[in-house]
Amino acid sequence: MKLNLQDIPRVKTIKKEDFITNYFKPQQPVVIEGFIKDWPAYKKWSLDYMKDIAGDKVVPLYDDRPVSHEDGFNEPHAEMKMSEYVDLLKSEPTKYRIFLWNILKEIPQLQKDYTFPDFGLKLMKTLPMLFFGGTNSHTFMHYDIDLANIFHFHFEGKKQCILFDQSQNKYLYKIPHSLIVREDIDFSNPDLKKWPALQYAKGWQCELNHGDILYMPEGYWHYMKYSSPGFSMSLRAIARHSKNLGKAFYNVLIMRHFDAMMRKFKGQDWINWKNDQAITRTHKGLK
């Protein structure tokens, strides 16, 4: 038995009006294939190019180790020069990923290689972020703290993406006071006997290739797995729906700080309790 996933619609390009009507207003994901072919980045951006232009930069690296009470918010697990990291990606599979790397801050000249597309949403121009990964590296299933609308531009290689909207929370083994689900669930090949609620979840899937854009609506859960070494850039627009804006403010102003406080005072017992509650609450909901 497999997850109940439907393919995300794909279009070659799209007009602003069509995007707003068919995808933003109904909050449906879409892959846009040919929209950025006139960007310099479409031809220039590769792992080798990033090595050349940013080789001396020390980059933060993350792997798939379980969350610990000792971890700070978005605290990296290791650091490495970009040149060494690209060599690692191209030489062997590695779990190390670059996560939320701000290209405006680190490599300002990369701004010349792209323009901010007009999809009818106001993009946050100070927050273009890069994400890198090697073969079979993956993110945990999570959603972003600000529940933003996300445009995910992929470069080099292939990446598998699985999405769920917030209405599926009751089936996903969501960790309370957190933005993730149980970290021991392999969404690329889940054990539905161990995680039976997942069979009721309805989601989306796609494969991203060089130049593809994935639109992820507000608050969508996303799991990313690199089929081969590659990287992506995300641009975001603030949540426009009042319910999601409210959740975003709660996450940033209350939930994040409450979770940090409980980690400090209860340590690993707090993490263990949350993991247990993810199972208890999900299975209770099924009954």
Side-chain angles (χ1 to χ4, degrees):
M1 189 178 296
K2 296 182 179 180
L3 291 174
N4 185 0
L5 304 174
Q6 59 179 309
D7 291 336
I8 296 174
R10 305 183 75 94
V11 297
K12 294 296 183 182
T13 188
I14 197 167
K15 295 181 179 179
K16 173 173 61 177
E17 296 78 10
D18 293 334
F19 170 76
I20 293 295
T21 299
N22 297 325
Y23 301 104
F24 172 69
K25 286 185 176 179
Q27 289 287 277
Q28 299 290 329
V30 64
V31 175
I32 309 166
E33 296 179 345
F35 196 88
I36 66 169
K37 287 188 175 180
D38 60 344
W39 282 10
Y42 181 78
K43 293 182 178 179
K44 290 170 61 176
W45 284 17
S46 65
L47 290 172
D48 286 335
Y49 181 69
M50 291 297 169
K51 178 180 177 180
D52 289 341
I53 200 170
D56 290 336
K57 295 289 182 180
V58 176
V59 295
L61 301 176
Y62 302 80
D63 57 28
D64 60 358
R65 71 187 67 179
V67 170
S68 166
H69 71 283
E70 297 177 345
D71 294 335
F73 186 75
N74 284 343
E75 182 180 345
H77 300 133
E79 292 182 337
M80 189 180 295
K81 282 189 175 182
M82 175 61 89
S83 59
E84 297 171 347
Y85 178 61
V86 171
D87 288 343
L88 176 64
L89 290 181
K90 300 183 77 170
S91 65
E92 62 185 56
T94 176
K95 294 181 178 180
Y96 279 133
R97 296 175 292 107
I98 297 178
F99 172 72
L100 292 176
W101 196 52
N102 190 324
I103 64 172
L104 282 178
K105 178 181 178 182
E106 300 291 343
I107 312 292
Q109 58 264 48
L110 289 177
Q111 297 174 65
K112 300 176 182 179
D113 294 339
Y114 66 90
T115 56
F116 288 92
D118 183 6
F119 290 113
L121 302 179
K122 187 175 182 180
L123 298 173
M124 300 182 211
K125 295 187 176 181
T126 59
L127 289 175
M129 296 291 182
L130 286 181
F131 305 79
F132 292 71
T135 302
N136 291 329
S137 65
H138 68 276
T139 66
F140 297 124
M141 182 68 74
H142 69 285
Y143 69 95
D144 287 11
I145 194 168
D146 59 355
L147 285 86
N149 295 276
I150 301 172
F151 298 92
H152 198 64
F153 304 75
H154 189 62
F155 298 92
E156 190 159 333
K158 297 180 182 295
K159 180 191 281 188
Q160 304 296 322
C161 307
I162 297 175
L163 310 181
F164 294 98
D165 65 43
Q166 288 282 315
S167 70
Q168 304 302 302
N169 287 8
K170 58 188 175 182
Y171 305 124
L172 298 180
Y173 297 90
K174 181 183 183 299
I175 304 291
H177 311 292
S178 181
L179 308 172
I180 62 174
V181 304
R182 288 276 310 207
E183 298 152 299
D184 45 352
I185 299 175
D186 178 5
F187 276 87
S188 64
N189 185 29
D191 182 346
L192 297 184
K193 290 184 178 180
K194 184 176 182 180
W195 312 109
L198 291 179
Q199 64 188 297
Y200 302 107
K202 296 180 180 180
W204 303 84
Q205 66 180 349
C206 71
E207 180 181 72
L208 295 181
N209 303 294
H210 182 89
D212 287 348
I213 307 171
L214 170 62
Y215 167 62
M216 292 183 281
E218 297 175 12
Y220 262 53
W221 294 91
H222 42 285
Y223 166 90
M224 309 282 191
K225 184 173 184 178
Y226 292 83
S227 304
S228 56
F231 63 100
S232 306
M233 178 177 75
S234 280
L235 300 177
R236 56 207 304 115
I238 63 170
R240 299 273 290 272
H241 294 75
S242 57
K243 183 178 180 180
N244 292 332
L245 271 176
K247 286 184 179 180
F249 280 115
Y250 171 78
N251 288 342
V252 173
L253 300 177
I254 298 175
M255 184 274 289
R256 179 175 62 175
H257 299 291
F258 174 74
D259 185 57
M261 179 186 69
M262 295 301 289
R263 291 189 192 199
K264 180 178 179 180
F265 287 109
K266 290 200 169 185
Q268 192 61 34
D269 287 344
W270 172 245
I271 302 295
N272 295 339
W273 178 85
K274 292 202 300 177
N275 281 322
D276 290 342
Q277 284 296 302
I279 298 175
T280 300
R281 296 182 185 188
T282 300
H283 289 171
K284 183 178 179 179
L286 286 183
K287 295 178 182 179

